[in-house]
Amino acid sequence: MAKIPPGVGPRFPQVVVLFGATGDLARRKLLPGLFHLVSAGFIPDCRIVGVSLDAIDAEAFRALARAALDEFFARRLDERKWADFAARLDYVPLAAGAAPLRAAVDRAAEALGTEGRRLHYLSVPPSGALPAVRLLGEAGLVEGSRIVMEKPFGTDLASAQVLNAQLHQVFAEDQIFRIDHFLGKEPAQNILAFRFANGLFEPIWNRNFIDHVQIDVPETLGLGRRSGFYEQTGAYRDMVVTHLFQILAFVAMEPPTALEPGPISEEKNKVFRSMLPVNPADVVRGQYVGYRDEDGVDPQSETETFIALKCFIDNWRWAGVPFFLRTGKRLAEGQRIISIAFREPPKSMFPPGSGVGAQGPDHLTFDLADASKMSLSFYGKRPGPGMRLDKLSLQFAMHDTGMVGDVLEAYERLILDAMRGDRTLFTSATGIERLWEVSTPLLDHPPPVRLYEPGSWGPKSIHQLIAPHAWRLPFERAWRSPNPTGG
């Protein structure tokens, strides 16, 4: 087994209480992720107590966990490691109540010894979050523990404030970890390294050199079985507040005084405080054709499955620079990019017809797929006589380094950070309430939804929203194929 660098994992063994243990997220991400963290040695020792509505026993839960690994674990499954992991699993039906849950956690803690710590993970629908929190309180499992919560963190300012107030009746704010799996991705964290470790880019990371920024997360997927949930939320509540605004904060934040959770969280919150309220006139809401025919959807639904917006950060670094955000379901491609468009030179010495400016400004593009990719585009001379310019690019891919196998999946990273008490990649109550505050004009006066065809890039009016600029997606030139050998 490879030696795990110090500080990557928690110092103490962990008891994980996993609510929603038989659900889709647990099967796809959490159980495979916990298996990898335990089997690779990231966690000194671990016991997992599954909790869900299903009236099953521990053996049935182990069978479910094995089926989840067979289907979703991306690495080779070692049978000896699986047997060791299976022995760490226990299960308590939600209906059993507080006393059996406390007994199961006590058994797990006893197996770990006196130095164990508790992490509660709430992989439950919004309606199940507060009942799970109250159950933990009744079971006496709050003191000295941490709790991880999935979105949504309210649906508007009032509901977010009520949710936070009720959470704080049981857990202190420093115990609560509101998870955003987008920020757990290696490329999102690479933005911090790229900005603050390189003297080349930090001096030009401001309104004097950057023309506009795009954060674009189109999805090809539909809703699956989430139509009932989606009817109550829509693309803006589901994706923008909890994901895209968080990425925007990483792009726009000032240098923190230290690479530590407190200073980084403070700089993110400064970005949110500097955001201007979202103007409904700067928003395009869309709905794909056929959405209203899906099960659980109102035939007259005005819920958006697509959102594009322009927002501004009103501080010295970013005053006047538009940030364009786009996301939606059933779109032409599934991508996750951040694109920084640099200002063009104020005057061109190149003759007409040379091609300069014909393909837009230079862009620095981050691909937020699990394995990092970055591209910097620029104009260069086409070989041959005369002065003809073409758009060229420098590209980096994690695949080229031979280190792609070291990349942790986003949930794995975030589970480790929560166990360590590292809040860098998590959202605070203050931050989430401020984001609902700036969203209030849009939520109170949403523009009408415009229909778009599945497999398109959204309603036609997105082009007026971004004019005189253009959306980076779809790319005119595809990413170059990674070269794993580096040859």
Side-chain angles (χ1 to χ4, degrees):
M1 182 187 299
K3 182 174 172 55
I4 305 300
V8 171
R11 292 172 52 203
F12 301 106
Q14 303 284 320
V15 176
V16 178
V17 180
L18 178 56
F19 284 83
T22 61
D24 190 59
L25 178 62
R27 293 189 308 108
R28 288 177 175 273
K29 297 291 186 182
L30 303 180
L31 289 169
L34 285 165
F35 172 77
H36 177 233
L37 295 177
V38 171
S39 61
F42 284 97
I43 306 171
D45 201 354
C46 184
R47 294 293 186 275
I48 298 163
V49 179
V51 183
S52 83
L53 293 170
D54 292 296
I56 60 175
D57 60 12
E59 270 312 308
F61 179 51
R62 293 183 187 109
L64 181 145
R66 177 55 193 251
L69 292 178
D70 287 340
E71 186 173 359
F72 298 112
F73 189 60
R75 301 171 174 89
R76 187 179 68 84
L77 186 58
D78 183 296
E79 290 297 334
R80 286 181 302 174
K81 290 180 178 179
W82 158 250
D84 176 69
F85 183 73
R88 301 167 186 269
L89 301 178
D90 199 357
Y91 184 85
V92 178
L94 190 62
L101 176 59
R102 176 61 191 249
V105 172
D106 285 346
R107 287 195 302 272
E110 187 177 349
L112 294 179
T114 57
E115 290 297 309
R117 299 290 189 270
R118 287 194 301 271
L119 180 76
H120 309 304
Y121 197 117
L122 270 55
S123 176
V124 296
S127 60
L130 287 174
V133 167
R134 286 192 281 268
L135 179 61
L136 290 168
E138 292 169 20
L141 296 174
V142 173
E143 186 178 355
S145 67
R146 298 179 176 124
I147 183 168
V148 179
M149 297 192 64
E150 287 279 343
K151 66 170 186 171
F153 312 120
T155 56
D156 55 21
L157 178 58
S159 63
Q161 289 172 330
V162 169
L163 174 63
N164 286 329
Q166 292 179 319
L167 285 174
H168 292 157
Q169 290 175 6
V170 182
F171 285 91
E173 176 63 21
D174 63 4
Q175 292 177 278
I176 302 170
F177 290 74
R178 298 169 185 81
I179 197 167
D180 175 13
H181 70 272
F182 272 53
L183 294 187
K185 291 179 176 296
E186 200 77 39
Q189 298 165 67
N190 212 17
I191 295 168
L192 296 181
F194 190 88
R195 284 191 58 189
F196 300 129
N198 296 299
L200 177 62
F201 285 99
E202 180 54 27
I204 61 172
W205 209 265
N206 57 60
R207 64 186 300 276
N208 296 321
F209 299 95
I210 290 176
D211 183 78
H212 67 277
V213 177
Q214 295 182 34
I215 301 173
D216 207 352
V217 186
E219 298 181 289
T220 57
L221 299 174
L223 300 180
R225 293 176 293 178
R226 298 177 69 226
S227 57
F229 163 77
Y230 210 79
E231 265 292 273
Q232 306 303 316
T233 55
Y236 185 82
R237 290 178 171 92
D238 185 43
M239 288 290 292
V240 176
V241 175
T242 49
H243 293 324
L244 272 63
F245 279 159
Q246 304 299 326
I247 295 171
L248 182 152
F250 267 32
V251 174
M253 63 190 280
E254 296 295 320
T257 55
L259 196 65
E260 295 173 357
I264 290 176
S265 180
E266 175 57 22
E267 294 305 333
K268 284 175 59 185
N269 285 336
K270 283 182 184 177
V271 172
F272 299 148
R273 290 198 295 270
S274 299
M275 286 179 67
L276 294 177
V278 178
N279 184 349
D282 291 333
V283 177
V284 175
R285 297 170 70 237
Q287 186 185 93
Y288 64 76
V289 175
Y291 170 75
R292 295 174 183 174
D293 299 326
E294 298 197 14
D295 290 340
V297 174
D298 183 341
Q300 276 77 48
S301 174
E302 290 293 306
T303 299
E304 79 279 358
T305 62
F306 171 96
I307 192 93
L309 64 142
K310 175 170 59 176
C311 59
F312 294 90
I313 300 169
D314 193 25
N315 61 19
W316 277 44
R317 183 182 289 264
W318 296 111
V321 176
F323 286 73
F324 296 100
L325 281 56
R326 177 173 65 169
T327 187
K329 302 290 186 184
R330 301 289 300 276
L331 296 175
E333 292 180 24
Q335 293 271 3
R336 295 172 178 177
I337 71 155
I338 302 166
S339 193
I340 315 292
F342 293 100
R343 293 190 182 278
E344 298 191 60
K347 184 173 175 59
S348 175
M349 65 181 182
F350 295 95
S354 64
V356 68
Q359 297 180 57
D362 300 335
H363 285 87
L364 174 65
T365 302
F366 297 86
D367 185 331
L368 297 184
D370 283 332
S372 303
K373 287 192 288 188
M374 288 183 286
S375 172
L376 177 63
S377 68
F378 57 93
Y379 283 100
K381 182 184 177 301
R382 183 185 298 178
M387 182 58 75
R388 291 280 298 160
L389 304 181
D390 276 334
K391 205 71 165 179
L392 309 173
S393 69
L394 298 171
Q395 293 188 10
F396 161 81
M398 185 64 72
H399 284 279
D400 292 333
T401 66
M403 294 186 292
V404 70
D406 296 335
V407 174
L408 285 178
E409 201 276 332
Y411 280 99
E412 297 173 356
R413 161 81 59 181
L414 292 168
I415 288 170
L416 279 184
D417 283 355
M419 288 177 173
R420 294 168 51 225
D422 186 335
R423 311 178 62 82
T424 303
L425 303 177
F426 294 85
T427 307
S428 68
T430 301
I432 204 71
E433 289 180 15
R434 171 58 184 165
L435 291 176
W436 285 123
E437 185 180 359
V438 301
S439 302
T440 298
L442 172 62
L443 299 179
D444 287 349
H445 303 285
V449 293
R450 302 170 185 269
L451 296 179
Y452 64 95
E453 290 295 328
S456 70
W457 285 98
K460 298 281 193 297
S461 48
I462 60 170
H463 303 296
Q464 285 79 51
L465 175 70
I466 203 170
H469 316 297
W471 292 100
R472 286 282 283 153
L473 290 174
F475 286 132
E476 293 181 7
R477 295 173 303 282
W479 291 94
R480 289 196 285 271
S481 299
N483 179 6
T485 64

